[in-house]
């Protein structure tokens, strides 16, 4: 694995590796890697000839008072994990290289970036869309992999790629969960053992909606109420939102007639956690 820091270095390394029409897969991350990230790397290795991973804790997607400073950073252990996975290039740019003085062009994903997590974290998705667009420009991947755990982010990045006529294919990969259902997240490191066990309620609550939909319930109000009540009963978990939305537009739905998704966000201690599940259409099988 070649570790590169500058834009010029990554372009030179890619020029060497991209010979004979080899395809490039890309996994953008903020580091503090877990099995969810590694599943994206493995997907890239399966679908592309060359795999590039970036680690960059992007300051523009953190709001004032959020956890930019505290965000876990563990470059040595991340590098070892990625080398073991057979990654070809690891890009670790500096903040100054990504945002030199005067670089104030932004990519605003529009309305979809202002709802749900975008309402709680104003400017967050503009920061994400801007840095990912810049990384796409630098790496010029054929396909880029993002986890469905950050479902709103995934739908926004698909839209940005579509709206801006990018050549990259944005691919979503299934959520990777701990054995007790907790979705893997770098922010789980903020949880005490007690908080961690309370946090499993997010998946248990989403599972009630999924299971009710499998049993034929199509009323989104009923599905959402079940999720909300399950989370409200759990000590130490403060629900921010629980919704059932159209799986593509993220618009609220009242009756599930098209592919839908149940999404939740909640605070557990200092951690803001998110999770989601697919809501099966009536008459289709279970698929969490
Ligand atoms: O999901 C993340 O880790 C980040 O939001 C991303 C996509 C790497 C952009 O900084």
């Amino acid at each position: 694995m070649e570790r590169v820091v500058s834009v010029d270095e990554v372009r030179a390394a890619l020029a060497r590796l991209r010979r004979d029409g080899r395809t490039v897969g890309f996994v953008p991350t903020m580091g503090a890697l877990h099995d969810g990230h590694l599943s994206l790397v493995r997907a890239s290795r399966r679908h592309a000839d060359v795999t590039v991973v970036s680690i960059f804790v992007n300051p523009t997607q953190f709001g004032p008072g959020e956890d930019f400073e505290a965000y876990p950073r563990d470059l040595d252990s991340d590098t070892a994990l990625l080398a073991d996975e057979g990654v070809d290039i690891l890009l670790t740019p500096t903040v100054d290289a990504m945002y030199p003085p005067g670089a104030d062009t932004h990519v605003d994903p529009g309305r979809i970036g202002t709802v749900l997590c975008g309402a709680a974290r104003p400017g967050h998705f503009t920061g994400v869309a801007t840095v990912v667009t810049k990384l796409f420009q630098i790496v010029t991947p054929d396909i880029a992999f993002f986890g469905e755990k950050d479902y709103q982010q995934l739908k926004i990045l698909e839209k940005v790629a579509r709206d801006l006529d990018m050549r990259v294919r944005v691919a979503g990969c299934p959520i990777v969960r701990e054995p007790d259902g907790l979705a893997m997240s770098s922010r789980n490191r903020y949880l005490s053992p007690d908080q961690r066990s309370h946090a499993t309620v997010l998946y248990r609550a989403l599972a009630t909606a999924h299971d009710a939909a499998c049993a034929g319930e199509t009323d989104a109000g009923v599905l959402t109420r079940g999720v909300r009540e399950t989370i409200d009963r759990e000590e130490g978990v403060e629900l921010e939102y629980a919704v059932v939305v159209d799986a593509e537009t993220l618009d609220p739905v009242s009756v599930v007639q098209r592919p839908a998704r149940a999404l939740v966000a909640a605070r557990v201690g200092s951690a803001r956690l998110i999770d989601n599940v697919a809501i099966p259409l009536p008459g289709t099988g279970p698929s969490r």
Side-chain angles (χ1 to χ4, degrees):
M1 182 174 78
E2 195 170 345
R3 181 168 155 212
V4 297
V5 174
S6 74
V7 173
D8 287 347
E9 280 174 322
V10 72
R11 287 196 171 136
L14 277 166
R16 284 193 295 278
L17 289 171
R18 221 191 241 283
R19 62 182 186 275
D20 306 328
R22 294 165 91 198
T23 54
V24 174
F26 181 38
V27 182
T29 80
M30 298 205 301
L33 303 179
H34 49 68
D35 278 352
H37 296 111
L38 299 185
S39 75
L40 305 180
V41 170
R42 288 172 198 151
S44 174
R45 298 253 297 137
R46 279 196 306 277
H47 288 97
D49 302 316
V50 173
T51 290
V52 181
V53 175
S54 64
I55 295 180
F56 179 64
V57 184
N58 172 37
T60 68
Q61 68 187 76
F62 291 81
E66 289 190 348
D67 57 343
F68 173 67
E69 301 295 343
Y71 197 84
R73 291 162 171 86
D74 200 346
L75 193 54
D76 289 343
S77 123
D78 288 350
T79 305
L81 284 172
L82 295 173
D84 280 354
E85 290 293 330
V87 166
D88 298 283
I89 300 176
L90 169 59
L91 169 64
T92 57
T94 62
V95 172
D96 287 348
M98 291 300 280
Y99 299 110
D104 58 3
T105 301
H106 301 295
V107 178
D108 176 352
R111 201 198 64 83
I112 192 175
T114 64
V115 298
L116 304 171
C117 289
R121 307 182 67 191
H124 168 68
F125 287 116
T126 298
V128 170
T130 302
V131 80
V132 171
T133 300
K134 283 172 70 68
L135 289 165
F136 283 175
Q137 289 292 106
I138 295 165
V139 175
T140 59
D142 297 280
I143 174 163
F145 298 86
F146 297 89
E148 287 182 347
K149 208 262 300 167
D150 297 292
Y151 194 78
Q152 188 176 7
Q153 168 173 281
L154 171 65
K155 292 295 133 184
I156 285 173
L157 294 173
E158 285 174 358
K159 177 174 180 290
V160 167
R162 211 168 44 237
D163 287 356
L164 299 183
D165 304 304
M166 294 176 176
R167 291 182 57 153
V168 62
R169 179 153 79 84
V170 171
C173 297
I175 298 175
V176 178
R177 297 184 180 280
E178 303 284 359
D180 58 10
L182 183 67
M184 290 197 182
S185 162
S186 304
R187 289 190 168 98
N188 291 349
R189 297 185 191 199
Y190 298 152
L191 301 171
S192 68
D194 221 35
Q195 290 168 338
R196 198 203 160 292
S197 101
H198 290 307
T200 59
V201 75
L202 299 190
Y203 180 61
R204 282 186 277 119
L206 289 166
T208 66
H210 177 274
D211 295 349
C214 285
E217 182 58 70
T218 57
D219 183 329
V222 172
L223 299 174
T224 309
R225 201 158 45 246
V227 174
R228 203 171 280 142
E229 286 173 359
T230 306
I231 295 178
D232 283 345
R233 277 197 299 271
E234 188 77 22
E235 190 191 313
V237 179
E238 196 188 316
L239 182 64
E240 192 181 286
Y241 65 73
V243 288
V244 173
V245 293
D246 181 282
E248 278 311 305
T249 62
L250 307 191
D251 288 334
V253 296
S254 45
V255 179
V256 178
Q257 290 165 320
R258 292 168 34 79
R261 204 94 188 172
L263 308 173
V264 293
R267 287 207 169 268
V268 185
S270 65
R272 182 178 183 279
L273 303 179
I274 55 175
D275 199 353
N276 67 86
V277 291
I279 295 297
L281 290 173
T284 63
S287 71
R288 254 183 230 160

